[in-house]
Amino acid sequence: MLTKYEAIKIAKQKAFEYKLSWSDRNLSVKAGEINNKPCFIVSTMDDGCDESGSWLDFQFFNPNVFYINSVDGTFLGYNIANRKHIFISDDKDSME
């Protein structure tokens, strides 16, 4: 059984692999289910604000959500800003 910290590590790795934004400051993890598979749902949103910058420079970016199988650590997929899910798992037929 995967821990939430291992799920975060996998999600972060996949964010960099797929060139998606990531922020350790804006991070949440919850247990859930996607297409009858137990998973960790890892959400992050890069706020785009430099700590020394003005509030006028503040930018909002889309949240990224990653789905990690909580049983075996398989990366199931992700979505960006509540758009269509992008499934990565080899088990695509059972996830549609």
Side-chain angles (χ1 to χ4, degrees):
M1 192 73 160
L2 197 70
T3 68
K4 71 177 185 176
Y5 301 105
E6 292 168 324
I8 291 170
K9 184 177 176 181
I10 292 167
K12 188 173 186 177
Q13 175 188 8
K14 294 301 180 177
F16 289 113
E17 183 179 327
Y18 291 104
K19 297 179 177 31
L20 302 170
S21 62
W22 183 270
S23 173
D24 288 325
R25 293 185 298 175
N26 297 314
L27 188 65
S28 74
V29 182
K30 64 181 179 179
E33 187 176 285
I34 189 163
N35 295 333
N36 300 320
K37 292 186 180 193
C39 66
F40 282 111
I41 302 168
V42 181
S43 302
T44 183
M45 184 174 63
D46 187 358
D47 62 13
C49 183
D50 184 346
E51 302 236 352
S52 62
S54 164
W55 69 271
L56 293 172
D57 296 330
F58 193 82
Q59 300 174 20
F60 290 99
F61 289 89
N62 293 327
N64 295 319
V65 181
F66 302 89
Y67 302 92
I68 314 297
N69 188 314
S70 59
V71 176
D72 62 9
T74 303
F75 180 64
L76 299 173
Y78 65 95
N79 74 350
I80 302 169
N82 299 323
R83 295 186 183 110
K84 183 179 177 182
H85 289 88
I86 299 169
F87 295 109
I88 306 300
S89 174
D90 292 334
D91 194 10
K92 291 179 185 175
D93 293 334
S94 68
M95 299 188 69
E96 293 181 6

